[in-house]
Amino acid sequence: MSGRARRLPIALSIVALTGVSFAAEIPLAERRSGYELMSQETRAMQDDDTANPGMLGVLEGGALWARKAGAAGRACADCHGDARQSMKGVAARYPAYDAALKRPVNLEQRINVCRTERQQAPTLAYESRELLALTAYVARQSRGMPIDITADARTQPFLDGGRAAFYRRQGQLNLACSQCHDDQWGRKLAGNVIPQAHPTGYPVYRLEWQSLGSLQRRLRNCLVGIRAEPYEYGAPELVDLELFLMWRARGMAIETPAVRP
Amino acid sequence: MANALINVPDRARRGEIIEIKTLISHPMETGYRRSQLGARIPRDIVRLFVCTYNGTEVFRAELHPAIAANPFFVFSTVATESGTLAFQWTGDNGFSATETATITVD
């Protein structure tokens, strides 16, 4: 009996060690878009532009692109012209470093910077229909292009911050993002397949939401899921995490507007 | 203001069965939900969808609460003659949207 009691701590430390060695980044070649883990029906919905409800947002975004707004009386199209050329590949590079703000901004924030500075219009609220539509329209122009995040001296601190957040245990459940999305992907959580968390198709049309939603909405969902206090929309912590996730998905193709269950 | 996506083949042979897909942007609020303050959110749904082919009705659907947002219809009809397919959605709060598509039958 006493021998068994002495062996128990050793056994526990072995479990703890294997737990640590389990947490490893997914090798580049083994990365899978959430698309590959979806049902046949949901994939078909995403693939057909007339069945993909995200395209309704893209359609609306196209109209907003050409509509004049703000005191400057300018539309996006007045400066940027045809989005099909000017916005091609842009979403694949965001979040990107903004020299004026001295930190990375995501696509939604970039659109709002343009609104306040160039159009002299009020910012669009996060998750508003208009902002999601414009973002979806801009990101749609990069569909099929590889994600190309710049990791340089300026973005590195933010990238590291995002990485730290991804591997940090948080919330009442004391879980890190990596514990599901690196270690348990492909397995089930409450009946749903756990994806690898590559943000390839944002804004996505999520069937559960019955609407388009941003990556930050998805991140806040996950934070609530692990019973952590979610950051506010636009919080630097969320943008850093977005930056890390996009970097982690580097080279994968943009799918916007993706459909997710 | 309503956004709709229509997919009708441009051309078809006479007598061919064609597939038509329509998707319309609509919140489809059921009327059963309550706001965070407990007030009932009024129902706002599409009640009726009708497709006419050169004026003849070829498809009709009645919609009810608990149909997901952005209703998507796929149906088929027989290509009889060149002309116009008209789609009309009507619903609560005076909602009305019309779209058309042309088809060439040879």
Side-chain angles (χ1 to χ4, degrees):
Chain A
M1 285 297 271
S2 62
R4 195 174 156 189
R6 258 197 309 271
R7 273 199 302 274
L8 191 61
I10 300 167
L12 279 176
S13 60
I14 289 167
V15 168
L17 276 176
T18 48
V20 168
S21 66
F22 209 58
E25 281 184 37
I26 301 166
L28 289 187
E30 286 172 32
R31 291 176 308 168
R32 303 275 178 274
S33 162
Y35 176 86
E36 294 177 53
L37 302 170
M38 300 198 300
S39 71
Q40 207 68 44
E41 292 79 7
T42 318
R43 284 193 220 179
M45 192 187 251
Q46 176 175 325
D47 291 340
D48 180 352
D49 273 352
T50 48
N52 181 343
M55 288 306 290
L56 293 168
V58 172
L59 202 67
E60 193 180 336
L64 288 171
W65 181 263
R67 187 179 303 163
K68 295 193 187 306
R74 264 189 297 213
C76 307
D78 292 338
C79 290
H80 297 287
D82 187 348
R84 280 173 294 183
Q85 268 96 50
S86 62
M87 292 295 121
K88 198 171 161 61
V90 168
R93 298 194 292 269
Y94 271 78
Y97 189 81
D98 183 285
L101 295 171
K102 296 193 172 60
R103 58 161 296 108
V105 293
N106 65 20
L107 202 50
E108 285 90 344
Q109 291 173 320
R110 163 57 61 209
I111 288 169
N112 269 333
V113 165
C114 238
R115 276 185 69 86
T116 50
E117 289 182 5
R118 311 258 181 258
Q119 294 181 301
Q120 291 159 32
T123 55
L124 296 169
Y126 286 105
E127 301 309 295
S128 65
R129 203 186 152 96
E130 291 86 356
L131 186 56
L132 288 169
L134 261 178
T135 312
Y137 179 67
V138 170
R140 163 71 182 84
Q141 314 308 328
S142 305
R143 192 196 266 179
M145 298 181 70
I147 293 172
D148 181 22
I149 289 292
T150 319
D152 58 16
R154 294 188 306 176
T155 54
Q156 199 61 48
F158 304 100
L159 196 58
D160 291 343
R163 184 201 306 272
F166 189 80
Y167 290 101
R168 183 169 60 235
R169 285 168 174 261
Q170 47 188 329
Q172 286 180 323
L173 297 189
N174 200 28
L175 280 171
C177 312
S178 62
Q179 287 182 286
C180 283
H181 298 291
D182 271 357
D183 301 345
Q184 305 290 340
W185 68 268
R187 299 176 75 178
K188 297 249 178 149
L189 179 67
N192 303 312
V193 179
I194 302 172
Q196 292 183 349
H198 298 301
T200 48
Y202 283 89
V204 299
Y205 189 90
R206 196 163 175 227
L207 300 179
E208 187 188 311
W209 295 336
Q210 299 194 24
S211 71
L212 278 175
S214 71
L215 176 52
Q216 294 206 349
R217 180 171 178 189
R218 177 66 263 194
L219 293 175
R220 281 165 51 94
N221 257 203
C222 253
L223 286 168
V224 170
I226 58 171
R227 298 192 200 157
E229 182 75 35
Y231 298 105
E232 284 306 313
Y233 281 109
E237 289 86 351
L238 286 181
V239 179
D240 291 355
L241 189 50
E242 277 187 69
L243 178 68
F244 171 70
L245 289 175
M246 286 294 273
W247 176 82
R248 187 169 164 267
R250 62 199 178 279
M252 297 175 78
I254 296 272
E255 298 167 37
T256 308
V259 177
R260 291 291 182 267
Chain B
M1 69 144 275
N3 281 327
L5 291 166
I6 311 286
N7 188 352
V8 174
D10 295 332
R11 309 188 76 86
R13 278 175 286 107
R14 192 175 301 278
E16 189 185 339
I17 295 170
I18 54 167
E19 188 180 64
I20 298 162
K21 296 186 220 175
T22 71
L23 178 68
I24 187 156
S25 168
H26 197 283
M28 295 297 279
E29 185 59 57
T30 62
Y32 299 131
R33 297 200 306 162
R34 284 176 186 274
S35 71
Q36 285 186 325
L37 297 174
R40 186 187 286 271
I41 303 170
R43 192 186 72 180
D44 180 17
I45 62 170
V46 174
R47 300 295 308 281
L48 183 67
F49 170 70
V50 177
C51 172
T52 55
Y53 185 0
N54 282 343
T56 312
E57 186 175 306
V58 292
F59 184 82
R60 163 185 289 259
E62 287 173 12
L63 287 83
H64 296 276
I67 289 177
N70 308 322
F72 176 55
F73 289 112
V74 182
F75 55 97
S76 53
T77 188
V78 177
T80 51
E81 54 189 1
S82 297
T84 308
L85 284 146
F87 307 92
Q88 189 174 31
W89 296 261
T90 44
D92 295 335
N93 304 322
F95 179 82
S96 177
T98 318
E99 291 282 335
T100 55
T102 53
I103 182 168
T104 308
V105 176
D106 40 28

